[in-house]
Amino acid sequence: MFTGFPAYPRFRTLHLTNPMQRGEDVYALQTALNEAGYNSGTADGILGSQTSAAIHRAQVDLNLLDDGKAGGLTQRALALSLAGRVARVTGVPANAFKGQLELESGYWLGNYSPLRADGTYDAGVCQRNTKFTSPQVGFDASKSIMALGDEVKKHYDLFLGVSGAKRRWALAQGAWNAPAFACYIAREEGATQVTAGMTLKPSAEARATFEEYVANASVYL
């Protein structure tokens, strides 16, 4: 774990098996369970009996099928539970996270992107680039969703002057992936606090791609 590119299927259902499942996805699940209040023990990337028991407790509390299998529905519920906590701390609307997490990872806590030529990849539920963020942090569901919330709130505040709160939130969500593009567009649309050094004019093609992402990520606003 954390020594190379993940070796497990990106959409693996996590549950107690013999031999036990291991990997960054298990680690991500454990971080989410622990932060949500379901003690899975030390996040070590090994799905043992304590993590299995935590899955069961979470499923009961979240009104899910109590089968001990953390598939897409269980991981989605945990991701949104963490997002709700972060929303309360940061002041970001909880709905702002839904489209973002859906587009980034499909809510799968241990999701990852294809490996790039330089050996980096995007890790975890928020798909954090390992070029800038270690896999240990990228696969930490709680830390990553908090970082997402901080980034969205920072840019929402920075984009004061953009007409309409929904548009400001939409651009702020887009800034998670392309902050320079988001800042450039926000300045075009009336943002009063964006500095020239934080902006980069996207090409027409790049802008269209970025605007499509912003629209899709903002579908729940």
Side-chain angles (χ1 to χ4, degrees):
M1 187 173 66
F2 305 136
T3 58
F5 192 59
Y8 55 86
R10 291 187 299 134
F11 306 110
R12 178 169 69 157
T13 295
L14 300 174
H15 59 107
L16 187 61
T17 59
N18 185 16
M20 291 181 288
Q21 292 177 322
R22 298 169 179 258
E24 292 88 344
D25 56 346
V26 177
Y27 172 86
L29 173 65
Q30 291 169 329
T31 64
L33 288 167
N34 287 341
E35 182 64 24
Y38 307 104
N39 181 15
S40 66
T42 301
D44 58 4
I46 304 172
L47 204 161
S49 58
Q50 191 169 357
T51 301
S52 178
I55 294 171
H56 282 285
R57 290 194 298 273
Q59 289 176 326
V60 171
D61 285 354
L62 296 170
N63 296 313
L64 300 168
L65 176 64
D66 178 17
D67 61 1
K69 296 181 179 180
L73 292 178
T74 298
Q75 294 192 38
R76 180 183 187 276
L78 283 169
L80 291 179
S81 175
L82 295 182
R85 291 166 180 252
V86 171
R88 291 190 290 273
V89 171
T90 60
V92 174
N95 278 348
F97 289 99
K98 289 184 177 180
Q100 192 105 32
L101 295 174
E102 183 176 298
L103 283 168
E104 296 291 343
S105 63
Y107 301 104
W108 288 82
L109 303 171
N111 206 342
Y112 57 89
S113 74
L115 188 66
R116 300 187 184 91
D118 63 0
T120 64
Y121 60 96
D122 296 334
V125 69
C126 292
Q127 293 288 275
R128 303 186 74 180
N129 190 334
T130 58
K131 182 176 181 179
F132 307 106
T133 305
S134 71
Q136 291 92 326
V137 176
F139 283 111
D140 188 312
S142 176
K143 289 181 180 178
S144 289
I145 294 176
M146 178 59 78
L148 173 61
D150 286 341
E151 192 72 12
V152 170
K153 184 62 164 63
K154 179 183 75 176
H155 282 87
Y156 179 81
D157 292 342
L158 190 67
F159 297 162
L160 182 66
V162 175
S163 61
K166 182 175 180 179
R167 178 59 172 166
R168 282 176 68 195
W169 280 118
L171 285 172
Q173 289 179 100
W176 176 253
N177 268 335
F181 287 3
C183 287
Y184 183 90
I185 294 169
R187 186 174 63 180
E188 278 193 327
E189 297 183 5
T192 57
Q193 299 186 50
V194 180
T195 63
M198 296 182 67
T199 62
L200 176 68
K201 182 178 181 178
S203 66
E205 182 180 3
R207 176 160 183 162
T209 300
F210 177 78
E211 289 279 13
E212 182 181 7
Y213 175 86
V214 168
N216 289 333
S218 305
V219 68
Y220 291 102
L221 287 174

